[in-house]
Amino acid sequence: MNDADMNQLLEAAWRRELTTPECAELQTWLANHPEARAKWAAELALTSALRGLPDVPVSSNFTHRVLQAIDQETVVATTQTSWLDRVFGPGRLWLPRFAMGLFVVGIGVMGYLQHQHSVRSELVVSVKEVSLLANVSTSSQMKTVEVWQDFDAIRRLGTTGPDMELLSLLK
């Protein structure tokens, strides 16, 4: 016997008294599964307590009142939707969604352009400062063109290794 069979027995116990073969089958299963005894005892106690309750007469308009309450809950649920659900909810046109998406993309592009502008402004300020420093004459009063005249030779000096011959002479 598996759990599906036990669930069928449980449902049968809810609806009616179990037959003698069903009770024997239940006792055999409970002997093999002692952990389920407490659950079965609680289920049977609840079922017998519910059977002991008297039947309450239902009013003649019970169905109408239940359906009316369901309709009222549906109306309340539809009126409590957020403005986002009302604007972008199902059944709405694609135009508001497209407009909102375009707005978000536009804000993103504007932010990127503003960032790019501020970076370029900082670059302009730093270039101005460097050019002012280059124009300021040093102690030898060189002009800017003369400073840059031997730039290639100076740059090549930095890429070669140390002069071993010169180092040996200095030792």
Side-chain angles (χ1 to χ4, degrees):
M1 176 183 286
N2 56 19
D3 289 337
D5 294 334
M6 290 314 301
N7 286 337
Q8 287 178 350
L9 276 179
L10 181 62
E11 289 178 14
W14 289 341
R15 292 186 178 92
R16 58 178 169 74
E17 291 290 328
L18 294 178
T19 62
T20 307
E22 288 173 338
C23 286
E25 189 177 356
L26 175 63
Q27 291 304 324
T28 306
W29 190 80
L30 288 176
N32 293 332
H33 299 87
E35 71 277 358
R37 284 189 183 275
K39 179 183 174 188
W40 265 96
E43 287 288 340
L44 292 177
L46 179 63
T47 302
S48 65
L50 288 175
R51 282 191 188 133
L53 292 175
D55 288 336
V56 177
V58 179
S59 64
S60 61
N61 63 349
F62 176 75
T63 305
H64 175 68
R65 288 176 39 200
V66 168
L67 293 175
Q68 186 179 20
I70 291 172
D71 289 340
Q72 287 176 350
E73 286 180 9
T74 305
V75 168
V76 168
T78 57
T79 58
Q80 291 179 347
T81 57
S82 68
W83 68 273
L84 284 174
D85 290 338
R86 281 183 256 131
V87 172
F88 299 113
R92 299 292 181 194
L93 296 177
W94 58 270
L95 186 61
R97 295 178 188 168
F98 179 74
M100 183 62 84
L102 192 61
F103 176 73
V104 169
V105 168
I107 292 295
V109 168
M110 295 279 289
Y112 174 74
L113 291 176
Q114 178 64 29
H115 171 71
Q116 202 173 29
H117 176 71
S118 67
V119 167
R120 287 181 180 166
S121 297
E122 291 173 6
L123 183 63
V124 165
V125 168
S126 65
V127 167
K128 282 182 182 178
E129 289 175 1
V130 168
S131 67
L132 286 175
L133 287 175
N135 286 335
V136 172
S137 59
T138 58
S139 61
S140 62
Q141 299 293 328
M142 289 189 195
K143 300 232 185 245
T144 307
V145 176
E146 292 172 352
V147 170
W148 296 104
Q149 187 174 10
D150 297 324
F151 178 74
D152 289 335
I154 295 170
R155 187 175 53 100
R156 272 187 267 132
L157 284 175
T159 59
T160 61
D163 189 2
M164 299 308 281
E165 196 177 311
L166 181 61
L167 288 174
S168 66
L169 289 175
L170 289 175
K171 285 183 181 182

